[in-house]
């Protein structure tokens, strides 16, 4: 059983994902919404760390899988977001 308030992550993946490789896009510098759209369009799953504010100053800083790498479809890419308005 799960405790109230628990989070469940469901990742989608085809049975033949090991033979279906996709290229990881470079989402650094994009907002969370755009980064998520780019990763999902490439056939990847998205998780988010760092700032959770929804603002244009909050942009992707790093990602766990290097851009340009070929990975199985359905792989998870975690993206860390920074609030650029708080820097300086």
């Amino acid at each position: 059983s799960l405790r109230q308030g628990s989070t469940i992550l469901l990742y989608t993946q085809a049975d033949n994902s090991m033979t279906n490789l996709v290229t990881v896009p470079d989402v650094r510098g994009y907002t969370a919404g755009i980064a998520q759209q780019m990763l999902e369009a490439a056939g990847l799953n998205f998780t988010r760390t760092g700032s959770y504010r929804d603002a244009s100053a909050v942009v992707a800083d790093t990602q766990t899988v290097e851009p340009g790498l070929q990975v199985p479809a359905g792989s998870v890419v975690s993206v860390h977001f920074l609030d650029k308005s708080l820097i300086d």
Side-chain angles (χ1 to χ4, degrees):
S1 77
L2 294 173
R3 289 189 291 175
Q4 185 174 1
S6 296
T7 300
I8 299 173
L9 299 176
L10 176 65
Y11 299 112
T12 58
Q13 184 171 333
D15 289 339
N16 65 347
S17 64
M18 291 306 288
T19 59
N20 185 18
L21 296 177
V22 297
T23 302
V24 176
D26 187 352
V27 299
R28 294 170 296 186
Y30 289 98
T31 63
I34 299 296
Q36 183 173 4
Q37 288 174 4
M38 291 171 68
L39 290 166
E40 289 176 352
L44 299 164
N45 287 295
F46 165 84
T47 61
R48 178 179 180 168
T49 63
S51 178
Y52 280 85
R53 257 181 26 124
D54 282 328
S56 61
V58 177
V59 295
D61 180 53
T62 60
Q63 58 190 80
T64 57
V65 183
E66 286 296 316
L69 286 181
Q70 295 271 304
V71 298
S75 294
V76 177
V77 178
S78 182
V79 182
H80 184 79
F81 290 86
L82 287 178
D83 187 339
K84 297 287 188 177
S85 69
L86 300 177
I87 300 173
D88 288 336

